Amino acid sequence: MKNTSRTMQSGFTLIELIMVIVILGILSAFALPRFADLGGEARAASIQAAAGSIRSAANIAHAQALAANTAAAGSVTLEGQAITMANYYPTANAAGILLAAQISSTDYTVVADTPAAGSVTVRATGASTPTGCQVVYTEAAANASPSVVVTVSSTDC
């Protein structure tokens, strides 16, 4: 005859399973906001990278123009591409700094001549406020270097 007073328990009880679910819920409530919106950080990093690319391309083109003894408003060749120059630095257009920095409108939103003539604005695509996530390149004046102004807002990118 079988002894029924002592039964063997196997598996988890219902209360143990509920407690595990509650603990996992609490952990996910703290972890989820940390990973929820990485798009803004990615757009901000992309604009910082574009600004670095613009600065580097402007300096490389400037060095090439000086080394080749090019006229101030001439052009230089970088990687087989003719870059238009103004005051020994790339112009603020598609044939100038955008071509030298290899920035295209497929990756960014490019707005020419804003906020003033002789400048180009590169904005992150998909930013909540486009003007809060941009870099503005302004052509070099005579005997000066170009201006590169980066605007990155943690809430607008």
Side-chain angles (χ1 to χ4, degrees), residues 7-157:
T7 59
M8 300 277 289
Q9 178 184 357
S10 64
F12 297 103
T13 64
L14 184 60
I15 192 72
E16 289 172 334
L17 291 174
I18 291 173
M19 289 305 295
V20 168
I21 291 171
V22 167
I23 290 171
L24 288 175
I26 291 170
L27 289 175
S28 67
F30 284 105
L32 187 62
R34 178 149 176 87
F35 300 108
D37 185 26
L38 297 179
E41 292 176 13
R43 283 187 290 275
S46 176
I47 285 298
Q48 292 289 352
S53 177
I54 288 171
R55 285 185 188 104
S56 296
N59 288 327
I60 290 170
H62 178 68
Q64 178 68 22
L66 294 178
N69 200 17
T70 305
S75 67
V76 297
T77 302
L78 297 177
E79 296 184 2
Q81 301 290 327
I83 310 299
T84 59
M85 306 291 279
N87 297 314
Y88 299 103
Y89 283 97
T91 56
N93 57 30
I97 193 63
L98 297 178
L99 184 60
Q102 299 179 353
I103 292 177
S104 69
S105 59
T106 57
D107 299 324
Y108 299 97
T109 303
V110 177
V111 183
D113 291 329
T114 55
S119 67
V120 65
T121 302
V122 176
R123 294 181 177 152
T125 304
S128 59
T129 306
T131 56
C133 199
Q134 68 182 12
V135 58
V136 179
Y137 173 85
T138 305
E139 287 181 8
N143 299 320
S145 58
S147 168
V148 178
V149 178
V150 180
T151 305
V152 175
S153 170
S154 62
T155 59
D156 293 335
C157 262

